[in-house]
């Protein structure tokens, strides 16, 4: 290839994790184009990249638009597929919407990757797993508890079928509970973002249900680094968890952020049927395959994220 730098197309690249993937690629000097319909993000999230000669711009289009995806992929070498409807609660209210974005969108991306023989890194989710009493490795049972989780598992199966049938060079990445700057703090945003935003506003932090449900929190820069690393040839054909291996209950998280237990209260869970009691990940395979380990612990990650929200308050 004459030393030419590889180029990438990041679907959902204006979104929370996608924006950090774009930043990671640009930091490595890799040309990158973004495709995003901006339904859950703003183009201003990409403003910091304007002027970087490796930033190839934004294609404002939906990932289910096959013509737009094929045009955007015309001169790239790799897909990072993050475009998705990621809200669990929204998927409970509107399962059809989640299926359209996550299943049809992945089919369109897989077909474009097949046609152009592109490398594909599919970003899935830990939500495909059933709850377990031990750290979840990649071969753990997959029992989706919500339409969102089901749509992401279906997306994985579609991509895997393309790998099996057409030889698509695929890596599937399952991040656990990602948090950090640029995460939405509204009702469909992440719990860390909602708690930090509420705390900065002086509000009481509302924990859904009894708060005993646990999560494995991964700082977004660590997640983005793992996703980009997953494009390496050693990861082809793999499914890889990105997890910290540390378990934190939602009540513990709220008290850690609020600093005062009296500023935390429990409220009725809006969708208890889609709740999973326990998530903790095993990222040994990512460590073995990529040399990936998280660098930012929860205390440092919360401090960085708090500072980001404070700057924008």
């Amino acid at each position: 290839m004459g030393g030419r730098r590889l180029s990438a197309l990041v679907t959902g690249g204006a979104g929370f994790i996608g924006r950090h993937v774009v930043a990671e690629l640009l930091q490595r000097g890799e040309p990158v184009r973004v495709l995003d319909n901006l339904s859950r993000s703003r183009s201003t999230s990409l403003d910091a990249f304007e002027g970087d000669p490796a930033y190839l711009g934004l294609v404002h289009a939906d990932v289910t638009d096959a013509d737009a995806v094929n045009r955007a992929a015309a001169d790239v070498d790799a897909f990072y597929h993050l475009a998705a409807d990621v809200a669990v609660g929204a998927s409970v209210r509107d399962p059809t919407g989640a299926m359209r974005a996550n299943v049809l969108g992945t089919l369109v991306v897989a077909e474009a990757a097949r046609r152009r023989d592109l490398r594909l890194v599919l970003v899935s989710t830990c939500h495909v797993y059933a709850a377990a009493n031990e750290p979840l490795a990649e071969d753990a049972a997959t029992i989706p508890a919500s339409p969102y989780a089901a749509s992401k598992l279906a997306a994985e199966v579609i991509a895997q079928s393309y790998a099996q049938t057409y030889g698509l060079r695929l890596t599937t990445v399952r991040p656990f509970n990602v948090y950090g700057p640029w995460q939405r703090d509204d009702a469909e945003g992440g719990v860390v973002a909602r708690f930090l935003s509420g705390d900065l506003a002086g509000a009481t932090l509302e924990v859904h249900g009894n708060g005993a449900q646990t999560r494995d929190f991964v700082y977004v820069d660590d997640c983005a680094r793992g996703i980009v690393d997953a494009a390496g040839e050693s990861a082809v054909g793999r499914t890889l968890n990105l997890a910290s291996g540390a378990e934190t209950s939602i009540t513990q998280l709220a008290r850690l952020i609020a600093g005062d237990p009296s500023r935390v209260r429990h409220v009725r869970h809006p969708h208890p049927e889609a709740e999973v009691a326990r998530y903790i990940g095993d990222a040994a395979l990512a460590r073995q395959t990529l040399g990936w380990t998280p660098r930012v612990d929860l205390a440092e990650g919360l401090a960085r994220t708090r500072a980001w929200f404070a700057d924008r308050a």
Side-chain angles (χ1 to χ4, degrees):
M1 297 175 65
R4 182 175 67 85
R5 293 182 298 171
L6 296 179
S7 56
L9 175 62
V10 180
T11 70
F16 166 45
I17 299 176
R19 185 210 180 269
H20 290 270
V21 170
V22 172
E24 180 70 21
L25 286 163
L26 291 174
Q27 185 176 356
R28 299 186 189 196
E30 297 184 22
V32 56
R33 176 178 295 122
V34 171
L35 184 142
D36 202 302
N37 68 3
L38 304 180
S39 63
R40 289 184 55 85
S41 55
R42 297 178 181 177
S43 61
T44 53
S45 70
L46 302 170
D47 285 353
F49 309 135
E50 296 292 346
D52 188 323
Y55 176 56
L56 305 179
L58 167 69
V59 176
H60 184 187
D62 194 274
V63 74
T64 62
D65 182 340
D67 289 340
V69 170
N70 276 290
R71 286 195 301 270
D75 56 354
V76 303
D77 305 285
F79 263 113
Y80 294 88
H81 179 40
L82 293 94
D85 187 332
V86 300
V88 173
S91 80
V92 173
R93 295 188 298 273
D94 178 22
T96 302
M99 295 295 170
R100 178 183 178 278
N102 300 347
V103 177
L104 180 56
T106 300
L107 177 61
V108 168
V109 166
E111 180 64 11
R114 177 186 77 85
R115 286 175 177 271
R116 298 183 179 279
D117 191 26
L118 304 180
R119 183 77 169 83
L120 174 59
V121 177
L122 172 67
V123 180
S124 184
T125 174
C126 67
H127 286 271
V128 301
Y129 293 118
N133 291 322
E134 58 187 16
L136 292 155
E138 290 82 358
D139 59 357
T142 51
I143 305 177
S146 66
Y148 163 70
S151 70
K152 294 297 281 186
L153 185 58
E156 287 191 20
V157 173
I158 288 169
Q160 288 162 5
S161 77
Y162 270 67
Q164 183 69 27
T165 306
Y166 305 112
L168 180 68
R169 291 172 294 142
L170 168 72
T171 301
T172 300
V173 179
R174 292 173 177 166
F176 275 64
N177 296 87
V178 184
Y179 70 99
W182 295 99
Q183 188 171 35
R184 286 174 55 155
D185 61 351
D186 58 12
E188 298 295 356
V191 64
V192 170
R194 288 190 285 109
F195 282 176
L196 282 171
S197 182
D199 186 60
L200 286 166
T204 297
L205 304 189
E206 296 186 344
V207 174
H208 294 163
N210 63 16
Q213 62 270 38
T214 66
R215 298 294 182 262
D216 182 327
F217 293 103
V218 181
Y219 189 64
V220 67
D221 285 351
D222 284 330
C223 179
R225 176 169 48 85
I227 290 169
V228 175
D229 287 348
E233 289 303 309
S234 64
V236 173
R238 301 277 197 172
T239 295
L240 302 172
N241 288 337
L242 298 179
S244 72
E247 190 174 20
T248 305
S249 77
I250 301 304
T251 294
Q252 288 173 324
L253 177 70
R255 290 177 177 175
L256 182 63
I257 289 173
D260 178 359
S262 69
R263 295 186 53 239
V264 176
R265 72 185 182 100
H266 295 265
V267 299
R268 178 180 173 276
H269 202 302
H271 44 81
E273 66 282 356
E275 185 61 272
V276 176
R278 190 177 185 190
Y279 274 137
I280 178 171
D282 178 350
L285 189 56
R287 183 170 61 251
Q288 295 163 10
T289 304
L290 308 176
W292 180 89
T293 57
R295 297 171 181 169
V296 180
D297 65 17
L298 183 58
E300 181 182 351
L302 289 177
R304 292 186 187 184
T305 310
R306 178 185 288 275
W308 185 86
F309 275 106
D311 284 345
R312 286 155 180 78

